[in-house]
Amino acid sequence: MSNSKKFIPYEQEDRNEEEVLLRSAEFYEFMNARRSIRQFSEKAIPKKVIDNIIMAASTAPSGANKQPWTFCVVSSKQIKKEVRMLAEVEEKESYSNRMSEEWLEDLIPLGTDWHKDFIETVPWVIVVMKRVYERGEENAKQKNYYVNESVGIACGILIAAIHNAGLCTLTHTPSPMDFLTKALGRPENERPFLLLPVGYPTKNAKVPNILRKGLTDVAVYYE
């Protein structure tokens, strides 16, 4: 079968080895300063900032370029209140009955619990939905490919874009998350993947004093 799609030249600025090394080091240091926080300010964030963050996430590669994601962006106080209430119901059940003793012990250094007040505090909440399939002509199902992988990559870029904008977030995955589909009135082809509060930290915000693994712990080179 002939390929009728058109291709265009790929353009990228040519950089020497020194520049490449410097940029890689600077980006690592920048991202290494990123932390998940739980104390958010109510300070407003312009919608255009969120637009740019979402569009940056949408540059992610995806299976067959299906782009199987929907970013539900919530600023409504009423919806945030409802989402918080429903999330806390699931989280309280998880902390009380679903999580193992080992899991709960591993969470102690992070200082987490079932209270999720940040959902109401932040000016914006982004709920990332994965689109497990599409609806085509005559409502026929159209398959999406590598949905979890594609949406996961988009979420990684989304988190980096939030940090790059000078804002903070926290990856929140209440389990189960089906309540988000109903609360946001999403169609049957979408499933909740991740909830991200987006905002500024409070002036007295604190984060756990933890360390990230080093290179030799996360990478294996075959040379």
Side-chain angles (χ1 to χ4, degrees):
M1 182 174 65
S2 63
N3 187 347
S4 60
K5 292 184 178 179
K6 294 181 179 179
F7 288 79
I8 59 175
Y10 176 67
E11 297 181 1
Q12 179 172 297
E13 183 179 346
D14 188 25
R15 295 186 174 89
N16 60 41
E17 184 175 310
E18 183 179 348
E19 290 176 308
V20 171
L21 178 59
L22 178 61
R23 287 170 65 89
S24 68
E26 288 178 341
F27 187 71
Y28 162 63
E29 293 296 335
F30 172 72
M31 291 304 297
N32 196 38
R34 185 206 61 79
R35 296 296 300 269
S36 297
I37 71 159
R38 291 173 172 81
Q39 296 88 40
F40 288 91
S41 164
E42 296 181 353
K43 183 179 178 180
I45 299 169
K47 179 177 178 292
K48 183 59 180 175
V49 173
I50 304 301
D51 292 344
N52 290 334
I53 288 169
I54 295 296
M55 292 310 297
S58 293
T59 67
S62 60
N65 194 36
K66 291 291 186 175
Q67 304 169 59
W69 46 66
T70 300
F71 299 95
C72 299
V73 187
V74 182
S75 63
S76 163
K77 291 184 178 180
Q78 179 180 348
I79 296 177
K80 286 190 292 183
K81 183 177 182 179
E82 180 181 0
V83 168
R84 176 193 176 180
M85 178 187 69
L86 295 172
E88 288 186 334
V89 169
E90 295 297 347
E91 288 290 88
K92 188 174 183 179
E93 178 64 21
S94 291
Y95 276 84
S96 300
N97 300 308
R98 295 173 182 150
M99 294 179 177
S100 66
E101 289 298 324
E102 181 181 9
W103 190 348
L104 291 171
E105 189 173 333
D106 285 340
L107 289 175
I108 290 175
L110 303 180
T112 67
D113 58 31
W114 61 268
H115 296 92
K116 307 300 172 186
D117 55 288
F118 54 77
I119 293 176
E120 285 193 81
T121 303
V122 292
W124 300 95
V125 170
I126 300 176
V127 178
V128 184
M129 310 291 286
K130 63 179 183 181
R131 303 175 66 91
V132 294
Y133 61 87
E134 305 295 338
R135 288 292 187 182
E137 295 181 3
E138 299 182 358
N139 209 33
K141 279 189 178 182
Q142 296 179 338
K143 189 174 181 180
N144 286 332
Y145 310 97
Y146 299 105
V147 174
N148 286 333
E149 294 85 349
S150 300
V151 178
I153 295 169
C155 287
I157 296 176
L158 178 61
I159 292 168
I162 291 169
H163 181 59
N164 182 65
L167 304 172
C168 293
T169 190
L170 169 72
T171 53
H172 181 44
T173 53
S175 180
M177 292 196 289
D178 294 343
F179 68 87
L180 289 169
T181 304
K182 183 177 181 181
L184 300 176
R186 301 313 303 163
E188 63 177 11
N189 66 317
E190 294 185 358
R191 306 283 189 276
F193 190 84
L194 183 65
L195 185 154
L196 293 163
V198 181
Y200 292 99
T202 60
K203 290 183 178 180
N204 61 345
K206 296 183 182 298
V207 294
N209 185 18
I210 56 177
L211 298 175
R212 293 187 169 107
K213 292 181 178 180
L215 181 62
T216 57
D217 296 314
V218 300
V220 178
Y221 285 78
Y222 298 86
E223 298 179 287

